[in-house]
Amino acid sequence: MIRSFRKYHRTLSIIMMLPLGLTILSGLGYTIFSDWLKMGSVGGFLLRLHTGDLVGLGQIYPILNGLGALGLLITGISLTGVMRRKGRSPSPSKE
């Protein structure tokens, strides 16, 4: 089972690398250019890129990003062993 989660996690991470990276970088860029440097035109472009409006996916892009991140979270947590059941402790040897 761990092996299948590892396979899903690896595949999903490759698929989600570009959209999540783009969302992170455009969110950081928006904050820097719009709030700190007061460059509204660059900030507007980055906001459209951040929400997916620039590529025509404004309605579904956040949902896909969220589902991908949730999938990575679930498979990642399962790989850490946090959700594994603890087996019975071995009975003490009788000496």
Side-chain angles (χ1 to χ4, degrees), residues 1-87:
M1 182 147 157
I2 296 283
R3 195 170 236 154
S4 66
F5 273 123
R6 187 174 292 133
K7 183 177 101 175
Y8 293 139
H9 189 79
R10 184 181 302 124
T11 303
L12 192 56
S13 65
I14 291 170
I15 292 169
M16 293 303 297
M17 183 172 40
L18 181 64
L20 285 176
L22 192 63
T23 300
I24 291 167
L25 292 175
S26 61
L28 286 170
Y30 174 76
T31 301
I32 292 169
F33 284 105
S34 182
D35 293 344
W36 294 357
L37 301 177
K38 306 295 184 208
M39 297 174 71
S41 61
V42 176
F45 169 76
L46 289 172
L47 184 61
R48 287 190 8 226
L49 185 63
H50 182 74
T51 58
D53 285 339
L54 191 66
V55 290
L57 297 173
Q59 299 294 321
I60 197 163
Y61 185 74
I63 294 170
L64 293 176
N65 256 349
L67 289 175
L70 187 63
L72 285 171
L73 179 70
I74 290 169
T75 57
I77 287 174
S78 69
L79 289 174
T80 63
V82 171
M83 298 187 334
R84 287 191 200 133
R85 289 185 184 170
K86 293 189 180 203

